Amino acid sequence: MTLAEVARSAGVGIATVSRALGGNADVSEDTRARVRAVADELGYRPSVAARALRRGGHRAFSVIVPNDQWGWWEPVVRACITAAGEAGYQVLIHPIPTSNEGLTDVIETLVDVPTEGVIVISVPDQKPVREACDRIGIPAVALDDTSTTIHMPCISAANLDGAHQVTQHLLDLGRSRIAFLAPRLAIGRTEDPLFLRDRLAGYRQALEASGITVDPNLIIETNAQESDSRCPELADLLEQDVPVDAVFCAYDQLAPSALREIAHHGLRTPEDIAVAGFDDERAALLVTPQLTTARQPYAEMGRKAAELLLDNLAGDSPPVERYEFPTSLVVRDSTVSTPGAF
């Protein structure tokens, strides 16, 4: 609903509607009452963002974060806050469940929040998010490696190269029967998120480049997560006497269950089976032995997201493209007992 539609229904000009709703004294009480009644009937809500932009801006932007226990996004947000502060901006944080319905609902409520733009972390589908931002007239940046098609500037790690590096590390240690442990496809999804496809592709490419045929029996899908005590799908593999000398977990949260399963079968990590992950989030340091993993540069990614949004707010719209950041291999005791040698 726009000022023009309110003006048309009230039989007055747009400027009169703006003055009436703004409480200007040069509008009669009768006209003011009629305009407000029409606005209420039509469901018109004045945009806080639009008012602030007319007055010079709020000097604030929003960050929408997943409202779950996986805290990998915390250093991203801290970097956003630092970059925003250097530019004289404040940051508003909005936790939300990771579903498009929750995201679009929160974005549309930003019309009543003193914010000029939004960074959205973890986006199942960018198209409805982009459309919601367009409806309220704010720019957006995504920090997202799940969406294949992007509709806004997008920050992510170089997942394929990172997975290749982790797999190559295991190969360099003499491991050749490397299992890839991935989460089972979530209910309602028709395809795996982009980061999983890229990480699996990096694993495959490293094996094939070393002349090792990819064994489909070693690509395991599991329902296990960090809080689960065991990984029955890995147990099935071990109990079938399928040779395995390493497990590459698609992300770190899968590693605790894998490590417990390996120990339950009387095997040692890393002596019998090396284990590696991806992300370098909290789980990597809480397990025993601590986890070798590909570290995402969260702080650099968060700063870049804030800089792209600030550039947009300054009138320099960045191109709609994916900005990939290289990962770095962090070697710990889950693959090498003396990691200082690498």
Side-chain angles (χ1 to χ4, degrees), residues 94-174:
H94 309 264
I96 192 67
T98 50
S99 68
N100 276 336
E101 292 79 11
L103 281 172
T104 54
D105 287 348
V106 167
I107 287 170
E108 291 185 347
T109 65
L110 296 182
V111 71
D112 294 322
V113 173
T115 191
E116 297 179 41
V118 63
I119 295 172
V120 185
I121 298 177
S122 189
V123 189
D125 181 2
Q126 289 189 11
K127 188 171 186 290
V129 174
R130 173 72 272 168
E131 290 171 347
C133 290
D134 289 343
R135 282 194 292 272
I136 64 171
I138 62 172
V141 172
L143 201 144
D144 168 42
D145 57 7
T146 62
S147 303
T148 303
T149 304
I150 63 173
H151 297 271
M152 61 192 80
C154 187
I155 309 293
S156 66
N159 289 292
L160 189 150
D161 291 345
H164 191 290
Q165 186 179 31
V166 171
T167 308
Q168 188 61 53
H169 165 68
L170 295 170
L171 291 167
D172 290 344
L173 296 174

Side-chain angles (χ1 to χ4, degrees), residues 181 224-231 234 249 251-263 275 281-289 291:
L181 184 62
Q225 293 294 332
E226 182 179 11
S227 59
D228 295 332
S229 60
R230 300 278 297 279
C231 180
L234 179 58
C249 300
Y251 49 76
D252 294 346
Q253 280 191 311
L254 298 174
S257 296
L259 289 166
R260 284 191 287 264
E261 198 61 65
I262 291 167
V275 178
E281 56 101 21
R282 182 178 57 183
L285 297 176
L286 297 181
V287 295
T288 302
L291 189 66

Side-chain angles (χ1 to χ4, degrees), residues 67-340:
N67 188 18
D68 56 27
Q69 64 178 356
W70 195 4
W72 61 266
W73 42 263
E74 293 174 8
V76 171
V77 173
R78 287 197 295 270
C80 287
I81 292 171
T82 299
E86 292 169 359
Y89 273 70
Q90 294 183 329
V91 176
L92 310 175
I93 310 299
H94 309 264
I96 192 67
T98 50
S99 68
N100 276 336
E101 292 79 11
L103 281 172
T104 54
D105 287 348
V106 167
I107 287 170
E108 291 185 347
T109 65
L110 296 182
V111 71
D112 294 322
V113 173
T115 191
E116 297 179 41
V118 63
I119 295 172
V120 185
I121 298 177
S122 189
V123 189
D125 181 2
Q126 289 189 11
K127 188 171 186 290
V129 174
R130 173 72 272 168
E131 290 171 347
C133 290
D134 289 343
R135 282 194 292 272
I136 64 171
I138 62 172
V141 172
L143 201 144
D144 168 42
D145 57 7
T146 62
S147 303
T148 303
T149 304
I150 63 173
H151 297 271
M152 61 192 80
C154 187
I155 309 293
S156 66
N159 289 292
L160 189 150
D161 291 345
H164 191 290
Q165 186 179 31
V166 171
T167 308
Q168 188 61 53
H169 165 68
L170 295 170
L171 291 167
D172 290 344
L173 296 174
R175 313 288 174 152
S176 59
R177 297 287 297 173
I178 304 170
F180 184 83
L181 184 62
R184 184 164 284 116
L185 188 66
I187 295 174
R189 292 196 70 104
T190 58
E191 61 179 3
D192 281 324
L194 180 63
F195 76 92
L196 281 180
R197 283 176 278 157
D198 280 353
R199 293 178 191 182
L200 178 57
Y203 158 83
R204 288 178 176 276
Q205 287 181 12
L207 292 177
E208 291 168 353
S210 296
I212 297 175
T213 301
V214 177
D215 184 349
N217 294 316
L218 294 181
I219 299 176
I220 314 167
E221 291 187 340
T222 180
N223 290 321
Q225 293 294 332
E226 182 179 11
S227 59
D228 295 332
S229 60
R230 300 278 297 279
C231 180
E233 297 84 1
L234 179 58
D236 290 344
L237 193 69
L238 297 174
E239 290 164 6
Q240 293 170 15
D241 292 327
V242 175
V244 179
D245 56 19
V247 177
F248 177 14
C249 300
Y251 49 76
D252 294 346
Q253 280 191 311
L254 298 174
S257 296
L259 289 166
R260 284 191 287 264
E261 198 61 65
I262 291 167
H264 179 78
H265 283 77
L267 300 169
R268 300 165 301 163
T269 300
E271 292 83 358
D272 299 313
I273 299 179
V275 178
F278 201 112
D279 291 327
D280 199 27
E281 56 101 21
R282 182 178 57 183
L285 297 176
L286 297 181
V287 295
T288 302
Q290 290 187 333
L291 189 66
T292 291
T293 187
R295 174 181 291 164
Q296 293 198 50
Y298 297 118
E300 291 90 337
M301 293 160 67
R303 171 170 284 276
K304 182 64 174 179
E307 290 173 349
L308 288 173
L309 185 58
L310 290 166
D311 286 346
N312 196 312
L313 295 175
D316 184 14
S317 298
V320 175
E321 63 184 40
R322 187 179 297 278
Y323 299 78
E324 285 195 341
F325 282 70
T327 62
S328 57
L329 181 68
V330 180
V331 179
R332 299 192 179 102
D333 286 350
S334 68
T335 60
V336 180
S337 297
T338 54

